[in-house]
Amino acid sequence: QVQLVESGGGLVQPGGSLRLSCAASGSTFSINVMGWYRQIPGKPRELVATITRSGNANYYAESVKGRFTISRDNGKNMVYLQMNSLKPEDTAVYYCNAEIIKGMGSKYDTWGQGTQVTVSS
Protein backbone atom coordinates (compact mmCIF):
# COMPACT_ATOMS: atom_id res chain seq x y z
CA GLN A 1 0.00 0.00 0.00
CA VAL A 2 1.28 3.44 -0.98
CA GLN A 3 -0.14 6.73 0.15
CA LEU A 4 0.53 10.06 -1.53
CA VAL A 5 0.02 13.48 0.00
CA GLU A 6 0.45 16.68 -1.99
CA SER A 7 1.26 20.06 -0.57
CA GLY A 8 2.45 23.46 -1.71
CA GLY A 9 -0.55 24.74 -3.60
CA GLY A 10 -1.99 28.16 -3.11
CA LEU A 11 -2.79 31.48 -4.68
CA VAL A 12 -0.08 33.11 -6.75
CA GLN A 13 0.16 36.02 -9.14
CA PRO A 14 0.72 35.50 -12.85
CA GLY A 15 4.42 35.12 -13.44
CA GLY A 16 4.96 33.79 -9.97
CA SER A 17 6.26 30.44 -8.82
CA LEU A 18 5.15 27.56 -6.67
CA ARG A 19 6.78 24.32 -5.69
CA LEU A 20 4.47 21.39 -5.19
CA SER A 21 5.57 18.46 -3.09
CA CYS A 22 4.31 14.90 -2.99
CA ALA A 23 5.22 12.74 -0.03
CA ALA A 24 4.95 9.00 -0.49
CA SER A 25 4.61 6.58 2.36
CA GLY A 26 3.97 2.91 2.83
CA SER A 27 5.50 0.42 0.43
CA THR A 28 7.55 3.03 -1.36
CA PHE A 29 9.98 0.44 -2.70
CA SER A 30 7.26 -0.63 -5.09
CA ILE A 31 6.92 2.78 -6.76
CA ASN A 32 8.07 3.07 -10.34
CA VAL A 33 7.25 6.07 -12.52
CA MET A 34 5.57 9.03 -10.90
CA GLY A 35 3.78 11.98 -12.32
CA TRP A 36 1.80 15.11 -11.80
CA TYR A 37 -1.65 15.64 -13.22
CA ARG A 38 -3.99 18.56 -13.06
CA GLN A 39 -7.73 18.87 -13.37
CA ILE A 40 -10.13 21.66 -14.18
CA PRO A 41 -13.71 21.17 -12.94
CA GLY A 42 -15.73 19.40 -15.59
CA LYS A 43 -12.67 18.22 -17.47
CA PRO A 44 -10.62 15.04 -17.26
CA ARG A 45 -7.31 15.04 -15.55
CA GLU A 46 -4.44 16.22 -17.72
CA LEU A 47 -0.99 14.74 -17.53
CA VAL A 48 1.51 17.46 -16.70
CA ALA A 49 4.81 15.66 -16.22
CA THR A 50 6.26 12.25 -15.47
CA ILE A 51 9.54 11.08 -14.05
CA THR A 52 11.21 7.70 -14.10
CA ARG A 53 12.30 5.79 -11.04
CA SER A 54 15.89 6.80 -11.76
CA GLY A 55 14.98 10.47 -11.72
CA ASN A 56 14.77 11.33 -15.39
CA ALA A 57 11.88 13.47 -16.52
CA ASN A 58 10.38 11.73 -19.51
CA TYR A 59 7.31 13.79 -20.27
CA TYR A 60 6.12 17.36 -20.08
CA ALA A 61 2.91 18.68 -21.47
CA GLU A 62 3.59 21.17 -24.23
CA SER A 63 1.81 23.86 -22.27
CA VAL A 64 4.29 23.64 -19.40
CA LYS A 65 7.58 22.92 -21.14
CA GLY A 66 10.25 25.34 -20.12
CA ARG A 67 8.26 26.50 -17.11
CA PHE A 68 7.72 23.39 -14.97
CA THR A 69 10.31 20.96 -13.69
CA ILE A 70 9.58 17.59 -12.15
CA SER A 71 12.07 15.96 -9.84
CA ARG A 72 12.18 13.24 -7.24
CA ASP A 73 14.22 12.20 -4.25
CA ASN A 74 13.79 8.50 -3.67
CA GLY A 75 15.71 8.65 -0.41
CA LYS A 76 13.13 11.05 0.97
CA ASN A 77 10.23 9.45 -0.90
CA MET A 78 9.38 12.82 -2.38
CA VAL A 79 8.41 14.10 -5.80
CA TYR A 80 8.35 17.78 -6.64
CA LEU A 81 6.93 20.01 -9.30
CA GLN A 82 8.61 23.37 -9.59
CA MET A 83 6.28 25.72 -11.41
CA ASN A 84 7.64 28.99 -12.73
CA SER A 85 6.16 31.73 -14.88
CA LEU A 86 2.70 30.67 -13.85
CA LYS A 87 -0.25 31.63 -15.99
CA PRO A 88 -3.95 31.85 -15.15
CA GLU A 89 -4.55 28.80 -17.33
CA ASP A 90 -2.39 26.80 -14.93
CA THR A 91 -5.15 27.11 -12.36
CA ALA A 92 -6.24 23.61 -11.43
CA VAL A 93 -6.18 20.96 -8.78
CA TYR A 94 -2.84 19.23 -9.05
CA TYR A 95 -2.56 15.54 -8.24
CA CYS A 96 0.41 13.34 -7.61
CA ASN A 97 0.37 9.90 -9.19
CA ALA A 98 2.50 6.84 -8.68
CA GLU A 99 2.73 3.65 -10.66
CA ILE A 100 2.95 0.74 -8.27
CA ILE A 101 4.58 -2.52 -9.33
CA LYS A 102 3.17 -5.60 -7.63
CA GLY A 103 6.05 -7.85 -8.66
CA MET A 104 4.45 -10.24 -11.12
CA GLY A 105 4.10 -7.84 -13.99
CA SER A 106 1.00 -6.27 -12.52
CA LYS A 107 0.78 -2.54 -11.97
CA TYR A 108 -1.66 -0.04 -10.64
CA ASP A 109 -1.82 3.69 -10.04
CA THR A 110 -2.42 5.45 -6.79
CA TRP A 111 -3.30 9.09 -6.30
CA GLY A 112 -2.95 11.84 -3.79
CA GLN A 113 -5.82 13.99 -2.63
CA GLY A 114 -4.85 16.96 -4.75
CA THR A 115 -3.72 20.48 -4.01
CA GLN A 116 -5.31 23.61 -5.42
CA VAL A 117 -3.23 26.00 -7.48
CA THR A 118 -4.83 29.31 -8.35
CA VAL A 119 -3.04 31.81 -10.56
CA SER A 120 -4.78 35.15 -10.46
CA SER A 121 -4.21 38.84 -9.99
Side-chain angles (χ1 to χ4, degrees):
Q1 181 79 1
V2 174
Q3 297 81 41
L4 304 176
V5 179
E6 303 97 333
S7 62
L11 174 64
V12 297
Q13 301 294 97
S17 297
L18 279 176
R19 190 193 194 198
L20 305 184
S21 298
C22 174
S25 61
S27 302
T28 56
F29 58 87
S30 65
I31 299 175
N32 192 28
V33 66
M34 298 189 71
W36 286 95
Y37 291 71
R38 63 187 182 186
Q39 186 170 30
I40 303 297
K43 297 183 179 180
R45 290 184 185 181
E46 172 192 18
L47 180 60
V48 175
T50 58
I51 187 167
T52 68
R53 185 178 180 181
S54 59
N56 300 123
N58 61 351
Y59 176 82
Y60 287 106
E62 288 296 324
S63 59
V64 307
K65 281 184 178 178
R67 300 188 298 119
F68 291 11
T69 303
I70 188 171
S71 61
R72 71 191 289 175
D73 184 337
N74 293 337
K76 296 181 178 179
N77 298 316
M78 298 288 290
V79 177
Y80 307 96
L81 185 67
Q82 179 66 46
M83 305 186 296
N84 299 324
S85 302
L86 284 162
K87 305 174 181 179
E89 51 263 46
D90 295 319
T91 297
V93 178
Y94 284 72
Y95 295 90
C96 182
N97 170 270
E99 180 188 61
I100 311 300
I101 299 177
K102 297 288 289 183
M104 296 296 292
S106 61
K107 304 175 181 179
Y108 70 93
D109 291 331
T110 191
W111 299 85
Q113 81 290 343
T115 185
Q116 176 71 48
V117 172
T118 302
V119 185
S120 176
S121 298

